[in-house]
Amino acid sequence: MSTRPRICLIHTGGTIGMIREPKGQGYILRLPEDPSEFLRYLKTEEEVRELAELDCVALLNKDSTNLVPADWTKMAQAIYQRLDRGYQGFVIAHGTDTLHFSASALAFAFGDRLNLPIVFTGAQTIPAVAHGDARVNLLRAVKVACEDLAEVVVAFGESVFRGCRVQKKDARRFDAFESPAESPIGSITEEILLATGRVRMRRSRSGPLEFHPGFADGVVQFSLIPGLEPEALRPVLHSERCKGVILQSFGAGNVPNAGSYSFTGFIREAVNLDKPVVITSQLPATSTLASPYAPGREALEAGAIPSGDMTNAAATTKLRWVLHQIQSAIDSGSLAPARKLARVREMMGRVYVGEMTPSDAPRGN
């Protein structure tokens, strides 16, 4: 009987499994026609199987640019259905462009009672690049999945990041990801070095897993630029398909508040329509809880909801996750519709999986 840990590898697409195909005077990168051949393209089957007993699931075959919230649900459900099959952990091979969104989404879907690792990884180069990172990143991710972790993480390059704290920083470098508001929770060396005391470890569950894999549609995001007229955005706000708005602000939550470019009225209008407005920052991860500047304070006073020091990916996936649960509660009659925005504010401000620094935690200078 094998003593190697059992790992489930889920393929969703991305550069890590792509093929170079000649086209005209150049070439294009395309997804393999048969994603079940993923490991063969990587030429790493034997090495992977030295680390773990591997089962492969060809769940999706998409460029991550084309992934949508329904795909996050599909990934989460694929893992949930296999939780009782004796796996030590799961590895998800994923495209890098939206990997941080999917990792954040699955962190919320499984909550803080998850009792094994779910490890996302990807690559900046296709398997055919001999000196590239596709092969090594997969091997490292499998190694991380064999650890006694109990949360959703991203293993990329030499680092292990908390899944809901990471964002992509570069399209070419092999250290493609960063965790701007929280240092990595582990390093990948000959051994996996985890940050003791900061990482959720495998344990006996204190209660049943709270699995909430649904994410709402209808969330729109606007990145503020100088001279952007709120009037140009009002048709979107009033659309029935719009369920919530994210304003990616300047600085630490500053939103224009002067003249015809003021967003104060836009925020009040959204609140009157029962549509939450969440403020994130265009900076990597800056606290939007308490801007000392008038433009930031006026936005909050008008009814906007701060996102703390969450990454943009964490804030957007969390809003979709929150809205789905709230709408389900309204539909079931357990929440009065008039309580919708108050519940959104309360849930967006609660820390579920370490996605942001608690508002009462001490902050450095």
Side-chain angles (χ1 to χ4, degrees):
M1 184 175 179
S2 175
T3 59
R4 293 171 299 160
R6 290 187 65 213
I7 301 295
C8 182
L9 171 62
I10 296 177
H11 178 269
T12 67
T15 300
I16 193 169
M18 284 187 176
I19 299 168
R20 180 186 285 126
E21 183 176 87
K23 189 174 182 67
Q25 299 300 312
Y27 66 88
I28 61 169
L29 302 181
R30 67 168 178 82
L31 293 161
E33 292 178 4
D34 183 1
S36 66
E37 295 290 298
F38 169 60
L39 285 181
R40 184 172 66 81
Y41 295 131
L42 276 175
K43 299 179 181 178
T44 189
E45 287 180 275
E46 292 185 8
E47 290 170 298
V48 168
R49 296 186 193 284
E50 287 179 9
L51 296 173
E53 185 180 336
L54 207 67
D55 292 337
C56 297
V57 177
L59 183 69
L60 298 168
N61 195 30
K62 289 187 173 185
D63 187 302
S64 74
T65 303
N66 293 320
L67 290 174
V68 296
D71 293 318
W72 305 337
T73 300
K74 190 171 184 177
M75 290 180 217
Q77 289 175 334
I79 293 173
Y80 184 77
Q81 292 163 4
R82 293 169 171 82
L83 285 179
D84 60 354
R85 298 188 188 179
Y87 292 117
Q88 170 79 13
F90 292 81
V91 173
I92 299 181
H94 197 290
T96 59
D97 281 349
T98 64
L99 183 152
H100 45 309
F101 286 89
S102 296
S104 293
L106 263 65
F108 292 121
F110 283 96
D112 65 355
R113 292 180 182 172
L114 179 68
N115 206 31
L116 48 67
I118 297 173
V119 184
F120 279 83
T121 197
Q124 297 285 69
T125 63
I126 62 173
V129 178
H131 68 282
D133 62 342
R135 173 181 157 277
V136 70
N137 277 353
L138 181 70
L139 289 170
R140 290 172 173 178
V142 170
K143 179 66 174 172
V144 172
C146 294
E147 296 293 314
D148 284 333
L149 275 166
E151 59 179 293
V152 178
V153 300
V154 173
F156 209 98
E158 299 178 357
S159 299
V160 181
F161 304 98
R162 179 159 284 136
C164 56
R165 285 283 197 164
V166 71
Q167 65 182 27
K168 189 174 180 180
K169 69 174 182 178
D170 197 282
R172 297 176 66 87
R173 291 169 57 104
F174 292 151
D175 58 339
F177 288 88
E178 64 180 351
S179 181
E182 178 187 76
S183 58
I185 59 173
S187 297
I188 302 173
T189 65
E190 184 176 356
E191 301 296 326
I192 307 301
L193 306 178
L194 299 175
T196 305
R198 294 179 50 222
V199 181
R200 291 196 296 277
M201 305 300 288
R202 187 185 295 269
R203 65 207 182 281
S204 296
R205 289 182 187 152
S206 58
L209 179 71
E210 294 182 353
F211 184 57
H212 299 289
F215 299 89
D217 293 324
V219 171
V220 296
Q221 176 173 301
F222 303 115
S223 184
L224 299 181
I225 57 173
L228 178 64
E229 302 92 341
E231 192 61 36
L233 310 181
R234 281 196 166 87
V236 176
L237 177 64
H238 283 267
S239 166
E240 289 186 4
R241 301 198 62 150
C242 174
K243 307 301 182 186
V245 176
I246 292 175
L247 289 182
Q248 202 173 21
S249 69
F250 303 115
N254 293 322
V255 176
N257 66 337
S260 60
Y261 303 106
S262 173
F263 271 80
T264 305
F266 179 91
I267 294 169
R268 290 198 183 105
E269 198 169 335
V271 170
N272 289 335
L273 292 169
D274 261 353
K275 298 180 180 183
V277 177
V278 172
I279 304 294
T280 66
S281 175
Q282 295 177 21
L283 300 179
T286 300
S287 177
T288 61
L289 287 171
S291 171
Y293 298 98
R297 289 189 176 183
E298 282 195 21
L300 298 183
E301 289 168 359
I305 300 169
S307 58
D309 61 356
M310 280 188 277
T311 62
N312 188 65
T316 56
T317 54
K318 185 176 182 179
L319 179 59
R320 288 184 182 275
W321 181 74
V322 164
L323 286 175
H324 185 275
Q325 291 183 71
I326 289 175
Q327 190 57 53
S328 296
I330 291 173
D331 291 345
S332 68
S334 61
L335 179 69
R339 292 284 301 157
K340 175 183 174 180
L341 287 188
R343 182 63 62 86
V344 172
R345 179 178 295 277
E346 185 270 325
M347 293 182 71
M348 288 299 294
R350 185 190 307 171
V351 181
Y352 290 91
V353 285
E355 70 275 13
M356 65 180 181
T357 304
S359 58
D360 56 354
R363 299 180 183 272
N365 294 326

